[in-house]
Amino acid sequence: MKKKTNRIIFSSYFLIVICLFSCVNTNVSSSQTFTKSLKSHFENKFFIGAAINESTILGKDDKSYQIVNNQFNSITPENSLKWMYIQPKPNQFDFNTADQYVQMGLDNGMYIIGHALVWHAQLAEFMQETKNKNEFRSHVENHINRLVKRYKGKIDAWDVVNEAFEEDGKLRNSIFYKNMGENYIEEVFKLAEKLDPEADLIYNDYNLYKPKKRNAVIEMVKQFKANGTKISGVGVQAHWGLNYPTIDEIEQIIYDFHIAGVSVSFTELDISVLPNPWELVGAEVNQNFSKFEGDPKMNPYPDNLPNEVALKLANRYYDIFRLFVKHSDKIERVTFWGVTDKYSWLNDWPIKGRINYPLLYDRSYKSKEAYRKVLQVKTN
Ligand code: G3I
């Protein structure tokens, strides 16, 4: 928590410097620079972050870059640090985008997230082909070694393991589980701690409002605490809808992890406004709903979001942030999964080619009613 406060003080100082500079720089949009920002509004409550895509990192999307710098004090790479991009072939690393990502965070005094060291999705092909278990383990160790060492003291928090549990609370039968055995999560957390003892180490997953899955993660946290394995926090992905989970369910997540002795971060917040008739919840990327592609019933707002739905979204965000502020002593960070609706992954999941509106900025990079409602949440 001390670290959070220090970083926020530094960010505020940085914001003041930027504002002073902007006063004499007529090219900077005044509406973006001088309006109240999310990061100033939630200062000393929790970090407020956004996942950023490659275009933003590489400076090809200046409008998103400006929003991120003006509004957020934490960043997560939406894809750029994932295994398939960073180590596509054995021991061939491509750090170009990742280095620029980290530099962007350092330049702007942000709390920088590394996402993700161990995840069964977006893995390099050679890992699927590695049949020898010792070889598999040494690839994993090498990957973690190279990344954590390279960004030691720069990346503030690592999503060490992502999505290792099934809905019923069993360990996912992933490629890591199959090759490294049931202690692999502990093993990689220990390795990450050895390489950068100062970094925050996070376990990240979706659907943690469901008790069976949450309890499994809590058991893991307790086991880590009992045997001295460092775990700093749990990342609750927060890919939610207008009606689920309930505020009570979200509150229970916060209480339960707090009691288990770890901080909570809401790491991938977005609210889908589109129909979800299969009661599909969460973020399991392997589900296939291609038969619904092009079905207008599943894509009801292709041109714009009707006012009443925009208002529902705004009120939903308002309620969620009111809860976050109420429990800000237990919450380390809230990160939106994206910057504008234009590039949200939810336009293509679970059905490709839909038009979704899950974030605080619209397709023209303008702030939405939801943004204004979030800023109306009282912080004292
Ligand atoms: O790399 C190709 C690129 O070469 C090609 O031109 C482009 C054309 O579509 O596709 C690119 O790959 C896409 C990749 O994102 C990078 O943009 C994949 O098709 C697409 O499936 C992939 O989606 C990402 C998804 O993870 C994959 O699982 C989303 O952007 C990203 O938001 C999403 O993030 C995950 C978190 O990491 C973990 N939690 C769930 C969350 C949502 O699934």
Side-chain angles (χ1 to χ4, degrees), residues 77-79 82 84-85 115-116 119 121-122 162-163 204 206 237 239 268 283-285 337 343-345 348-349 352:
E78 185 176 0
N79 286 298
K82 291 174 180 172
M84 66 182 288
Y85 298 113
H115 173 84
W119 188 29
Q122 288 176 292
N162 196 34
E163 301 173 8
N204 194 50
Y206 58 86
Q237 287 191 9
H239 298 293
E268 305 188 10
E284 172 53 65
V285 288
W337 201 243
Y343 299 115
S344 166
W345 74 292
D348 282 318
W349 187 90
K352 275 202 188 315

PDB file of all heavy atoms in Angstrom, residues 77-79 82 84-85 115-116 119 121-122 162-163 204 206 237 239 268 283-285 337 343-345 348-349 352, ligand 1:
ATOM      1  N   PRO A  77      -0.259  -4.733 -20.563  1.00  0.00           N
ATOM      2  CA  PRO A  77      -0.195  -4.982 -22.004  1.00  0.00           C
ATOM      3  C   PRO A  77      -1.279  -5.985 -22.408  1.00  0.00           C
ATOM      4  O   PRO A  77      -1.285  -7.113 -21.909  1.00  0.00           O
ATOM      5  CB  PRO A  77       1.203  -5.586 -22.194  1.00  0.00           C
ATOM      6  CG  PRO A  77       1.525  -6.205 -20.870  1.00  0.00           C
ATOM      7  CD  PRO A  77       0.731  -5.516 -19.801  1.00  0.00           C
ATOM      8  N   GLU A  78      -2.186  -5.582 -23.281  1.00  0.00           N
ATOM      9  CA  GLU A  78      -3.309  -6.477 -23.595  1.00  0.00           C
ATOM     10  C   GLU A  78      -2.802  -7.796 -24.195  1.00  0.00           C
ATOM     11  O   GLU A  78      -3.319  -8.866 -23.864  1.00  0.00           O
ATOM     12  CB  GLU A  78      -4.279  -5.806 -24.565  1.00  0.00           C
ATOM     13  CG  GLU A  78      -5.510  -6.655 -24.813  1.00  0.00           C
ATOM     14  CD  GLU A  78      -6.541  -5.991 -25.704  1.00  0.00           C
ATOM     15  OE1 GLU A  78      -6.321  -4.848 -26.152  1.00  0.00           O
ATOM     16  OE2 GLU A  78      -7.578  -6.644 -25.965  1.00  0.00           O
ATOM     17  N   ASN A  79      -1.795  -7.720 -25.046  1.00  0.00           N
ATOM     18  CA  ASN A  79      -1.258  -8.937 -25.662  1.00  0.00           C
ATOM     19  C   ASN A  79       0.270  -8.998 -25.711  1.00  0.00           C
ATOM     20  O   ASN A  79       0.836 -10.081 -25.817  1.00  0.00           O
ATOM     21  CB  ASN A  79      -1.777  -9.069 -27.109  1.00  0.00           C
ATOM     22  CG  ASN A  79      -3.242  -9.485 -27.144  1.00  0.00           C
ATOM     23  OD1 ASN A  79      -3.617 -10.567 -26.677  1.00  0.00           O
ATOM     24  ND2 ASN A  79      -4.095  -8.616 -27.675  1.00  0.00           N
ATOM     25  N   LYS A  82       2.610 -11.575 -24.003  1.00  0.00           N
ATOM     26  CA  LYS A  82       2.204 -12.983 -23.978  1.00  0.00           C
ATOM     27  C   LYS A  82       3.240 -13.830 -24.719  1.00  0.00           C
ATOM     28  O   LYS A  82       3.914 -13.355 -25.637  1.00  0.00           O
ATOM     29  CB  LYS A  82       0.805 -13.130 -24.558  1.00  0.00           C
ATOM     30  CG  LYS A  82      -0.259 -12.510 -23.644  1.00  0.00           C
ATOM     31  CD  LYS A  82      -1.623 -12.512 -24.271  1.00  0.00           C
ATOM     32  CE  LYS A  82      -2.662 -11.881 -23.345  1.00  0.00           C
ATOM     33  NZ  LYS A  82      -3.964 -11.702 -24.023  1.00  0.00           N
ATOM     34  N   MET A  84       3.408 -16.164 -26.990  1.00  0.00           N
ATOM     35  CA  MET A  84       3.504 -16.378 -28.446  1.00  0.00           C
ATOM     36  C   MET A  84       4.154 -15.194 -29.163  1.00  0.00           C
ATOM     37  O   MET A  84       4.707 -15.353 -30.240  1.00  0.00           O
ATOM     38  CB  MET A  84       2.122 -16.662 -29.057  1.00  0.00           C
ATOM     39  CG  MET A  84       1.163 -15.510 -29.000  1.00  0.00           C
ATOM     40  SD  MET A  84      -0.478 -15.934 -29.678  1.00  0.00           S
ATOM     41  CE  MET A  84      -0.123 -16.024 -31.423  1.00  0.00           C
ATOM     42  N   TYR A  85       4.062 -14.004 -28.562  1.00  0.00           N
ATOM     43  CA  TYR A  85       4.667 -12.825 -29.193  1.00  0.00           C
ATOM     44  C   TYR A  85       6.094 -12.601 -28.710  1.00  0.00           C
ATOM     45  O   TYR A  85       6.944 -12.143 -29.464  1.00  0.00           O
ATOM     46  CB  TYR A  85       3.834 -11.569 -28.894  1.00  0.00           C
ATOM     47  CG  TYR A  85       2.429 -11.675 -29.452  1.00  0.00           C
ATOM     48  CD1 TYR A  85       1.325 -11.761 -28.615  1.00  0.00           C
ATOM     49  CD2 TYR A  85       2.213 -11.726 -30.837  1.00  0.00           C
ATOM     50  CE1 TYR A  85       0.044 -11.888 -29.133  1.00  0.00           C
ATOM     51  CE2 TYR A  85       0.932 -11.848 -31.362  1.00  0.00           C
ATOM     52  CZ  TYR A  85      -0.145 -11.926 -30.495  1.00  0.00           C
ATOM     53  OH  TYR A  85      -1.413 -12.058 -31.015  1.00  0.00           O
ATOM     54  N   HIS A 115       1.821  -9.013 -17.955  1.00  0.00           N
ATOM     55  CA  HIS A 115       0.715  -9.966 -18.164  1.00  0.00           C
ATOM     56  C   HIS A 115       1.052 -10.824 -19.369  1.00  0.00           C
ATOM     57  O   HIS A 115       1.168 -10.291 -20.466  1.00  0.00           O
ATOM     58  CB  HIS A 115      -0.569  -9.185 -18.413  1.00  0.00           C
ATOM     59  CG  HIS A 115      -1.754 -10.030 -18.806  1.00  0.00           C
ATOM     60  ND1 HIS A 115      -2.551 -10.657 -17.885  1.00  0.00           N
ATOM     61  CD2 HIS A 115      -2.282 -10.345 -20.020  1.00  0.00           C
ATOM     62  CE1 HIS A 115      -3.521 -11.315 -18.506  1.00  0.00           C
ATOM     63  NE2 HIS A 115      -3.385 -11.145 -19.798  1.00  0.00           N
ATOM     64  N   ALA A 116       1.179 -12.074 -19.238  1.00  0.00           N
ATOM     65  CA  ALA A 116       1.177 -12.948 -18.083  1.00  0.00           C
ATOM     66  C   ALA A 116       2.300 -13.968 -18.306  1.00  0.00           C
ATOM     67  O   ALA A 116       2.558 -14.342 -19.447  1.00  0.00           O
ATOM     68  CB  ALA A 116      -0.160 -13.663 -17.986  1.00  0.00           C
ATOM     69  N   TRP A 119       0.342 -18.960 -18.906  1.00  0.00           N
ATOM     70  CA  TRP A 119      -1.059 -19.044 -19.334  1.00  0.00           C
ATOM     71  C   TRP A 119      -1.155 -20.066 -20.459  1.00  0.00           C
ATOM     72  O   TRP A 119      -0.314 -20.061 -21.357  1.00  0.00           O
ATOM     73  CB  TRP A 119      -1.563 -17.674 -19.817  1.00  0.00           C
ATOM     74  CG  TRP A 119      -3.034 -17.599 -20.089  1.00  0.00           C
ATOM     75  CD1 TRP A 119      -4.002 -18.331 -19.492  1.00  0.00           C
ATOM     76  CD2 TRP A 119      -3.696 -16.741 -21.032  1.00  0.00           C
ATOM     77  NE1 TRP A 119      -5.251 -17.972 -19.987  1.00  0.00           N
ATOM     78  CE2 TRP A 119      -5.078 -16.990 -20.932  1.00  0.00           C
ATOM     79  CE3 TRP A 119      -3.249 -15.773 -21.950  1.00  0.00           C
ATOM     80  CZ2 TRP A 119      -6.026 -16.335 -21.713  1.00  0.00           C
ATOM     81  CZ3 TRP A 119      -4.191 -15.117 -22.724  1.00  0.00           C
ATOM     82  CH2 TRP A 119      -5.575 -15.391 -22.601  1.00  0.00           C
ATOM     83  N   ALA A 121      -3.240 -20.161 -22.847  1.00  0.00           N
ATOM     84  CA  ALA A 121      -3.642 -19.590 -24.143  1.00  0.00           C
ATOM     85  C   ALA A 121      -2.537 -18.663 -24.659  1.00  0.00           C
ATOM     86  O   ALA A 121      -1.705 -18.194 -23.901  1.00  0.00           O
ATOM     87  CB  ALA A 121      -4.946 -18.812 -23.981  1.00  0.00           C
ATOM     88  N   GLN A 122      -2.579 -18.405 -25.950  1.00  0.00           N
ATOM     89  CA  GLN A 122      -1.579 -17.548 -26.608  1.00  0.00           C
ATOM     90  C   GLN A 122      -0.145 -17.954 -26.238  1.00  0.00           C
ATOM     91  O   GLN A 122       0.734 -17.123 -26.003  1.00  0.00           O
ATOM     92  CB  GLN A 122      -1.842 -16.076 -26.313  1.00  0.00           C
ATOM     93  CG  GLN A 122      -3.078 -15.561 -27.064  1.00  0.00           C
ATOM     94  CD  GLN A 122      -3.413 -14.135 -26.701  1.00  0.00           C
ATOM     95  OE1 GLN A 122      -3.814 -13.844 -25.581  1.00  0.00           O
ATOM     96  NE2 GLN A 122      -3.271 -13.222 -27.657  1.00  0.00           N
ATOM     97  N   ASN A 162      -2.125 -17.293 -14.889  1.00  0.00           N
ATOM     98  CA  ASN A 162      -3.430 -16.823 -15.340  1.00  0.00           C
ATOM     99  C   ASN A 162      -4.356 -18.020 -15.593  1.00  0.00           C
ATOM    100  O   ASN A 162      -3.951 -18.978 -16.275  1.00  0.00           O
ATOM    101  CB  ASN A 162      -3.213 -16.050 -16.667  1.00  0.00           C
ATOM    102  CG  ASN A 162      -4.390 -15.195 -17.061  1.00  0.00           C
ATOM    103  OD1 ASN A 162      -5.084 -14.649 -16.219  1.00  0.00           O
ATOM    104  ND2 ASN A 162      -4.609 -15.073 -18.361  1.00  0.00           N
ATOM    105  N   GLU A 163      -5.539 -17.986 -14.994  1.00  0.00           N
ATOM    106  CA  GLU A 163      -6.616 -18.931 -15.325  1.00  0.00           C
ATOM    107  C   GLU A 163      -6.248 -20.410 -15.151  1.00  0.00           C
ATOM    108  O   GLU A 163      -6.401 -21.211 -16.075  1.00  0.00           O
ATOM    109  CB  GLU A 163      -7.093 -18.674 -16.763  1.00  0.00           C
ATOM    110  CG  GLU A 163      -7.598 -17.252 -16.948  1.00  0.00           C
ATOM    111  CD  GLU A 163      -7.927 -16.889 -18.396  1.00  0.00           C
ATOM    112  OE1 GLU A 163      -7.914 -17.782 -19.256  1.00  0.00           O
ATOM    113  OE2 GLU A 163      -8.199 -15.708 -18.653  1.00  0.00           O
ATOM    114  N   ASN A 204      -4.232 -14.524 -11.332  1.00  0.00           N
ATOM    115  CA  ASN A 204      -5.301 -13.814 -12.048  1.00  0.00           C
ATOM    116  C   ASN A 204      -6.303 -14.804 -12.649  1.00  0.00           C
ATOM    117  O   ASN A 204      -5.902 -15.787 -13.279  1.00  0.00           O
ATOM    118  CB  ASN A 204      -4.627 -13.018 -13.188  1.00  0.00           C
ATOM    119  CG  ASN A 204      -5.523 -11.978 -13.816  1.00  0.00           C
ATOM    120  OD1 ASN A 204      -6.140 -11.180 -13.114  1.00  0.00           O
ATOM    121  ND2 ASN A 204      -5.591 -11.971 -15.141  1.00  0.00           N
ATOM    122  N   TYR A 206     -10.846 -15.471 -13.957  1.00  0.00           N
ATOM    123  CA  TYR A 206     -12.196 -14.942 -14.167  1.00  0.00           C
ATOM    124  C   TYR A 206     -13.216 -15.759 -13.366  1.00  0.00           C
ATOM    125  O   TYR A 206     -12.890 -16.809 -12.807  1.00  0.00           O
ATOM    126  CB  TYR A 206     -12.564 -14.920 -15.659  1.00  0.00           C
ATOM    127  CG  TYR A 206     -12.504 -16.260 -16.360  1.00  0.00           C
ATOM    128  CD1 TYR A 206     -13.588 -17.137 -16.350  1.00  0.00           C
ATOM    129  CD2 TYR A 206     -11.364 -16.644 -17.048  1.00  0.00           C
ATOM    130  CE1 TYR A 206     -13.541 -18.357 -17.002  1.00  0.00           C
ATOM    131  CE2 TYR A 206     -11.301 -17.866 -17.701  1.00  0.00           C
ATOM    132  CZ  TYR A 206     -12.401 -18.716 -17.677  1.00  0.00           C
ATOM    133  OH  TYR A 206     -12.345 -19.928 -18.311  1.00  0.00           O
ATOM    134  N   GLN A 237     -10.703 -10.859 -12.804  1.00  0.00           N
ATOM    135  CA  GLN A 237     -10.715 -10.303 -14.163  1.00  0.00           C
ATOM    136  C   GLN A 237     -11.865  -9.322 -14.443  1.00  0.00           C
ATOM    137  O   GLN A 237     -11.686  -8.376 -15.185  1.00  0.00           O
ATOM    138  CB  GLN A 237     -10.716 -11.431 -15.190  1.00  0.00           C
ATOM    139  CG  GLN A 237      -9.366 -12.132 -15.294  1.00  0.00           C
ATOM    140  CD  GLN A 237      -9.264 -13.064 -16.472  1.00  0.00           C
ATOM    141  OE1 GLN A 237     -10.139 -13.100 -17.350  1.00  0.00           O
ATOM    142  NE2 GLN A 237      -8.223 -13.865 -16.512  1.00  0.00           N
ATOM    143  N   HIS A 239     -14.753  -9.459 -16.255  1.00  0.00           N
ATOM    144  CA  HIS A 239     -15.476  -9.378 -17.534  1.00  0.00           C
ATOM    145  C   HIS A 239     -16.934  -9.644 -17.194  1.00  0.00           C
ATOM    146  O   HIS A 239     -17.363 -10.794 -17.113  1.00  0.00           O
ATOM    147  CB  HIS A 239     -14.947 -10.418 -18.530  1.00  0.00           C
ATOM    148  CG  HIS A 239     -13.507 -10.201 -18.873  1.00  0.00           C
ATOM    149  ND1 HIS A 239     -13.085  -9.100 -19.578  1.00  0.00           N
ATOM    150  CD2 HIS A 239     -12.396 -10.931 -18.608  1.00  0.00           C
ATOM    151  CE1 HIS A 239     -11.768  -9.162 -19.742  1.00  0.00           C
ATOM    152  NE2 HIS A 239     -11.331 -10.261 -19.147  1.00  0.00           N
ATOM    153  N   GLU A 268      -9.380  -6.749 -15.186  1.00  0.00           N
ATOM    154  CA  GLU A 268      -9.783  -6.744 -16.603  1.00  0.00           C
ATOM    155  C   GLU A 268     -11.232  -6.304 -16.712  1.00  0.00           C
ATOM    156  O   GLU A 268     -12.071  -6.978 -17.314  1.00  0.00           O
ATOM    157  CB  GLU A 268      -9.579  -8.140 -17.223  1.00  0.00           C
ATOM    158  CG  GLU A 268      -8.166  -8.660 -17.052  1.00  0.00           C
ATOM    159  CD  GLU A 268      -7.866  -9.943 -17.813  1.00  0.00           C
ATOM    160  OE1 GLU A 268      -8.693 -10.369 -18.646  1.00  0.00           O
ATOM    161  OE2 GLU A 268      -6.793 -10.528 -17.566  1.00  0.00           O
ATOM    162  N   ALA A 283     -14.691 -15.622 -19.282  1.00  0.00           N
ATOM    163  CA  ALA A 283     -13.825 -15.227 -20.391  1.00  0.00           C
ATOM    164  C   ALA A 283     -13.113 -16.417 -21.020  1.00  0.00           C
ATOM    165  O   ALA A 283     -12.057 -16.276 -21.601  1.00  0.00           O
ATOM    166  CB  ALA A 283     -12.808 -14.225 -19.888  1.00  0.00           C
ATOM    167  N   GLU A 284     -13.666 -17.616 -20.893  1.00  0.00           N
ATOM    168  CA  GLU A 284     -12.998 -18.769 -21.496  1.00  0.00           C
ATOM    169  C   GLU A 284     -12.960 -18.577 -23.008  1.00  0.00           C
ATOM    170  O   GLU A 284     -13.994 -18.563 -23.676  1.00  0.00           O
ATOM    171  CB  GLU A 284     -13.743 -20.057 -21.121  1.00  0.00           C
ATOM    172  CG  GLU A 284     -13.259 -21.290 -21.850  1.00  0.00           C
ATOM    173  CD  GLU A 284     -11.749 -21.505 -21.734  1.00  0.00           C
ATOM    174  OE1 GLU A 284     -11.273 -21.738 -20.633  1.00  0.00           O
ATOM    175  OE2 GLU A 284     -11.064 -21.424 -22.761  1.00  0.00           O
ATOM    176  N   VAL A 285     -11.759 -18.395 -23.511  1.00  0.00           N
ATOM    177  CA  VAL A 285     -11.629 -17.976 -24.908  1.00  0.00           C
ATOM    178  C   VAL A 285     -11.889 -19.098 -25.909  1.00  0.00           C
ATOM    179  O   VAL A 285     -12.030 -18.849 -27.094  1.00  0.00           O
ATOM    180  CB  VAL A 285     -10.231 -17.351 -25.180  1.00  0.00           C
ATOM    181  CG1 VAL A 285     -10.125 -15.995 -24.541  1.00  0.00           C
ATOM    182  CG2 VAL A 285      -9.126 -18.274 -24.712  1.00  0.00           C
ATOM    183  N   TRP A 337     -10.263  -3.292 -19.244  1.00  0.00           N
ATOM    184  CA  TRP A 337      -9.626  -4.127 -20.271  1.00  0.00           C
ATOM    185  C   TRP A 337      -9.775  -3.451 -21.641  1.00  0.00           C
ATOM    186  O   TRP A 337     -10.563  -3.859 -22.488  1.00  0.00           O
ATOM    187  CB  TRP A 337     -10.189  -5.548 -20.272  1.00  0.00           C
ATOM    188  CG  TRP A 337      -9.218  -6.505 -20.925  1.00  0.00           C
ATOM    189  CD1 TRP A 337      -9.417  -7.240 -22.057  1.00  0.00           C
ATOM    190  CD2 TRP A 337      -7.886  -6.819 -20.482  1.00  0.00           C
ATOM    191  NE1 TRP A 337      -8.288  -7.976 -22.348  1.00  0.00           N
ATOM    192  CE2 TRP A 337      -7.330  -7.729 -21.384  1.00  0.00           C
ATOM    193  CE3 TRP A 337      -7.095  -6.393 -19.402  1.00  0.00           C
ATOM    194  CZ2 TRP A 337      -6.028  -8.249 -21.267  1.00  0.00           C
ATOM    195  CZ3 TRP A 337      -5.804  -6.900 -19.281  1.00  0.00           C
ATOM    196  CH2 TRP A 337      -5.291  -7.812 -20.199  1.00  0.00           C
ATOM    197  N   TYR A 343     -11.681  -0.776 -29.914  1.00  0.00           N
ATOM    198  CA  TYR A 343     -10.730  -1.900 -29.970  1.00  0.00           C
ATOM    199  C   TYR A 343     -10.993  -2.945 -28.897  1.00  0.00           C
ATOM    200  O   TYR A 343     -10.129  -3.784 -28.645  1.00  0.00           O
ATOM    201  CB  TYR A 343      -9.296  -1.372 -29.848  1.00  0.00           C
ATOM    202  CG  TYR A 343      -8.936  -0.433 -30.963  1.00  0.00           C
ATOM    203  CD1 TYR A 343      -8.664   0.909 -30.711  1.00  0.00           C
ATOM    204  CD2 TYR A 343      -8.898  -0.880 -32.276  1.00  0.00           C
ATOM    205  CE1 TYR A 343      -8.356   1.779 -31.738  1.00  0.00           C
ATOM    206  CE2 TYR A 343      -8.591  -0.020 -33.314  1.00  0.00           C
ATOM    207  CZ  TYR A 343      -8.330   1.308 -33.033  1.00  0.00           C
ATOM    208  OH  TYR A 343      -8.030   2.164 -34.056  1.00  0.00           O
ATOM    209  N   SER A 344     -12.166  -2.923 -28.272  1.00  0.00           N
ATOM    210  CA  SER A 344     -12.405  -3.909 -27.221  1.00  0.00           C
ATOM    211  C   SER A 344     -12.466  -5.324 -27.791  1.00  0.00           C
ATOM    212  O   SER A 344     -13.061  -5.570 -28.846  1.00  0.00           O
ATOM    213  CB  SER A 344     -13.731  -3.603 -26.514  1.00  0.00           C
ATOM    214  OG  SER A 344     -14.111  -4.720 -25.736  1.00  0.00           O
ATOM    215  N   TRP A 345     -11.878  -6.258 -27.069  1.00  0.00           N
ATOM    216  CA  TRP A 345     -11.917  -7.672 -27.483  1.00  0.00           C
ATOM    217  C   TRP A 345     -13.356  -8.173 -27.550  1.00  0.00           C
ATOM    218  O   TRP A 345     -13.657  -9.141 -28.239  1.00  0.00           O
ATOM    219  CB  TRP A 345     -11.090  -8.525 -26.504  1.00  0.00           C
ATOM    220  CG  TRP A 345     -11.756  -8.749 -25.169  1.00  0.00           C
ATOM    221  CD1 TRP A 345     -12.007  -7.822 -24.209  1.00  0.00           C
ATOM    222  CD2 TRP A 345     -12.282  -9.991 -24.671  1.00  0.00           C
ATOM    223  NE1 TRP A 345     -12.643  -8.387 -23.128  1.00  0.00           N
ATOM    224  CE2 TRP A 345     -12.821  -9.719 -23.379  1.00  0.00           C
ATOM    225  CE3 TRP A 345     -12.331 -11.293 -25.162  1.00  0.00           C
ATOM    226  CZ2 TRP A 345     -13.416 -10.711 -22.603  1.00  0.00           C
ATOM    227  CZ3 TRP A 345     -12.929 -12.286 -24.379  1.00  0.00           C
ATOM    228  CH2 TRP A 345     -13.457 -11.985 -23.120  1.00  0.00           C
ATOM    229  N   ASP A 348     -15.403  -9.040 -30.644  1.00  0.00           N
ATOM    230  CA  ASP A 348     -15.168 -10.307 -31.351  1.00  0.00           C
ATOM    231  C   ASP A 348     -15.358 -11.532 -30.489  1.00  0.00           C
ATOM    232  O   ASP A 348     -15.054 -12.644 -30.903  1.00  0.00           O
ATOM    233  CB  ASP A 348     -13.738 -10.319 -31.922  1.00  0.00           C
ATOM    234  CG  ASP A 348     -13.667  -9.489 -33.193  1.00  0.00           C
ATOM    235  OD1 ASP A 348     -14.594  -9.598 -34.012  1.00  0.00           O
ATOM    236  OD2 ASP A 348     -12.701  -8.722 -33.337  1.00  0.00           O
ATOM    237  N   TRP A 349     -15.848 -11.356 -29.305  1.00  0.00           N
ATOM    238  CA  TRP A 349     -16.026 -12.505 -28.411  1.00  0.00           C
ATOM    239  C   TRP A 349     -17.304 -12.321 -27.610  1.00  0.00           C
ATOM    240  O   TRP A 349     -17.560 -11.209 -27.128  1.00  0.00           O
ATOM    241  CB  TRP A 349     -14.833 -12.615 -27.445  1.00  0.00           C
ATOM    242  CG  TRP A 349     -14.894 -13.882 -26.631  1.00  0.00           C
ATOM    243  CD1 TRP A 349     -14.357 -15.093 -26.949  1.00  0.00           C
ATOM    244  CD2 TRP A 349     -15.557 -14.054 -25.369  1.00  0.00           C
ATOM    245  NE1 TRP A 349     -14.639 -16.003 -25.954  1.00  0.00           N
ATOM    246  CE2 TRP A 349     -15.381 -15.391 -24.981  1.00  0.00           C
ATOM    247  CE3 TRP A 349     -16.288 -13.196 -24.537  1.00  0.00           C
ATOM    248  CZ2 TRP A 349     -15.900 -15.909 -23.798  1.00  0.00           C
ATOM    249  CZ3 TRP A 349     -16.820 -13.707 -23.340  1.00  0.00           C
ATOM    250  CH2 TRP A 349     -16.612 -15.060 -22.991  1.00  0.00           C
ATOM    251  N   LYS A 352     -17.956 -13.287 -33.269  1.00  0.00           N
ATOM    252  CA  LYS A 352     -17.150 -12.339 -34.059  1.00  0.00           C
ATOM    253  C   LYS A 352     -18.027 -11.283 -34.720  1.00  0.00           C
ATOM    254  O   LYS A 352     -19.148 -11.559 -35.132  1.00  0.00           O
ATOM    255  CB  LYS A 352     -16.387 -13.090 -35.153  1.00  0.00           C
ATOM    256  CG  LYS A 352     -15.084 -13.675 -34.697  1.00  0.00           C
ATOM    257  CD  LYS A 352     -14.171 -13.917 -35.896  1.00  0.00           C
ATOM    258  CE  LYS A 352     -12.913 -14.671 -35.535  1.00  0.00           C
ATOM    259  NZ  LYS A 352     -12.216 -14.253 -34.367  1.00  0.00           N
TER     260      LYS A 352
HETATM  261  O1  G3I B   1      -1.654 -11.704 -33.904  1.00  0.00           O
HETATM  262  C1  G3I B   1      -2.728 -11.672 -34.850  1.00  0.00           C
HETATM  263  C2  G3I B   1      -2.389 -10.720 -35.925  1.00  0.00           C
HETATM  264  O2  G3I B   1      -1.250 -11.181 -36.599  1.00  0.00           O
HETATM  265  C3  G3I B   1      -3.588 -10.613 -36.857  1.00  0.00           C
HETATM  266  O3  G3I B   1      -3.322  -9.630 -37.827  1.00  0.00           O
HETATM  267  C4  G3I B   1      -4.856 -10.221 -36.095  1.00  0.00           C
HETATM  268  C5  G3I B   1      -6.075 -10.180 -37.006  1.00  0.00           C
HETATM  269  O4  G3I B   1      -7.246 -10.546 -36.314  1.00  0.00           O
HETATM  270  O5  G3I B   1      -5.062 -11.170 -35.094  1.00  0.00           O
HETATM  271  C6  G3I B   1      -3.994 -11.182 -34.155  1.00  0.00           C
HETATM  272  O6  G3I B   1      -4.234 -12.010 -33.088  1.00  0.00           O
HETATM  273  C7  G3I B   1      -5.279 -11.635 -32.205  1.00  0.00           C
HETATM  274  C8  G3I B   1      -4.672 -11.168 -30.869  1.00  0.00           C
HETATM  275  O7  G3I B   1      -5.691 -10.959 -29.904  1.00  0.00           O
HETATM  276  C9  G3I B   1      -3.880  -9.878 -31.004  1.00  0.00           C
HETATM  277  O8  G3I B   1      -4.669  -8.842 -31.478  1.00  0.00           O
HETATM  278  C10 G3I B   1      -6.127 -12.872 -31.972  1.00  0.00           C
HETATM  279  O9  G3I B   1      -6.799 -13.200 -33.169  1.00  0.00           O
HETATM  280  C11 G3I B   1      -7.128 -12.635 -30.855  1.00  0.00           C
HETATM  281  O10 G3I B   1      -7.794 -13.845 -30.541  1.00  0.00           O
HETATM  282  C12 G3I B   1      -6.418 -12.154 -29.615  1.00  0.00           C
HETATM  283  O11 G3I B   1      -7.394 -11.887 -28.650  1.00  0.00           O
HETATM  284  C13 G3I B   1      -6.895 -11.596 -27.335  1.00  0.00           C
HETATM  285  C14 G3I B   1      -7.362 -12.681 -26.371  1.00  0.00           C
HETATM  286  O12 G3I B   1      -6.931 -12.344 -25.064  1.00  0.00           O
HETATM  287  C15 G3I B   1      -6.776 -14.031 -26.741  1.00  0.00           C
HETATM  288  O13 G3I B   1      -7.021 -14.976 -25.784  1.00  0.00           O
HETATM  289  C16 G3I B   1      -7.508 -10.262 -26.919  1.00  0.00           C
HETATM  290  O14 G3I B   1      -6.972  -9.220 -27.740  1.00  0.00           O
HETATM  291  C17 G3I B   1      -7.172  -9.976 -25.452  1.00  0.00           C
HETATM  292  O15 G3I B   1      -7.936  -8.878 -25.015  1.00  0.00           O
HETATM  293  C18 G3I B   1      -7.560 -11.179 -24.597  1.00  0.00           C
HETATM  294  O16 G3I B   1      -7.165 -10.912 -23.262  1.00  0.00           O
HETATM  295  C19 G3I B   1      -7.483 -11.925 -22.294  1.00  0.00           C
HETATM  296  C20 G3I B   1      -6.483 -11.794 -21.168  1.00  0.00           C
HETATM  297  O17 G3I B   1      -5.180 -11.864 -21.669  1.00  0.00           O
HETATM  298  C21 G3I B   1      -6.723 -12.859 -20.094  1.00  0.00           C
HETATM  299  N1  G3I B   1      -8.075 -12.836 -19.613  1.00  0.00           N
HETATM  300  C22 G3I B   1      -9.106 -12.887 -20.634  1.00  0.00           C
HETATM  301  C23 G3I B   1      -8.895 -11.781 -21.662  1.00  0.00           C
HETATM  302  C24 G3I B   1      -9.993 -11.794 -22.668  1.00  0.00           C
HETATM  303  O18 G3I B   1      -9.960 -12.993 -23.399  1.00  0.00           O
END
